[in-house]
Amino acid sequence: MKKVKVLEDKCIGCGACVAVDPEHFDFSDAGVSKVISEQNVEGNATLQEACDGCPVGAIEIFDGCENEKCTCNPCKCEGECKCNDVEEK
Ligand code: SF4
């Protein structure tokens, strides 16, 4: 399933993505963007606009794992979930 992540070491905290797509982005305590929702990523034009509009290319939409219980946020599994050992809470 499609997932989204912010490359925090690239983000300059300009706020463009937060303005364009507040459903998916907000500022972290460090003043950079963070992903706040993994829902409604697939085919989302607003999210794509935020991604395309990032001046430093810090937003990536990628094929994440299919595990709905995946605990990564944002998902870092990139195809193969590494959260299988995590017990349900
Ligand atoms: S648009 Fe890019 S640089 Fe600006 S806050 Fe969002 S992720 Fe960071």
Side-chain angles (χ1 to χ4, degrees):
M1 74 178 55
K2 290 288 185 190
K3 300 206 174 184
V4 60
K5 68 180 174 185
V6 171
L7 305 175
E8 291 183 10
D9 53 341
K10 271 190 162 184
C11 175
I12 57 173
C14 73
C17 61
V18 178
V20 170
D21 188 0
E23 177 188 351
H24 289 102
F25 303 103
D26 199 355
F27 288 110
S28 70
D29 291 342
V32 295
S33 178
K34 66 175 181 179
V35 174
I36 57 171
S37 173
E38 295 276 1
Q39 305 297 310
N40 194 23
V41 171
E42 187 96 38
N44 187 314
T46 303
L47 175 58
Q48 188 64 54
E49 183 183 341
C51 181
D52 293 343
C54 176
V56 293
I59 301 171
E60 289 186 0
I61 299 170
F62 62 98
D63 290 316
C65 71
E66 300 294 327
N67 183 3
E68 292 183 1
K69 292 177 183 165
C70 176
T71 55
C72 300
N73 185 15
C75 181
K76 299 178 181 69
C77 301
E78 305 204 17
E80 182 183 347
C81 186
K82 298 172 181 70
C83 304
N84 291 330
D85 296 336
V86 177
E87 290 183 20
E88 236 178 293
K89 291 179 183 167

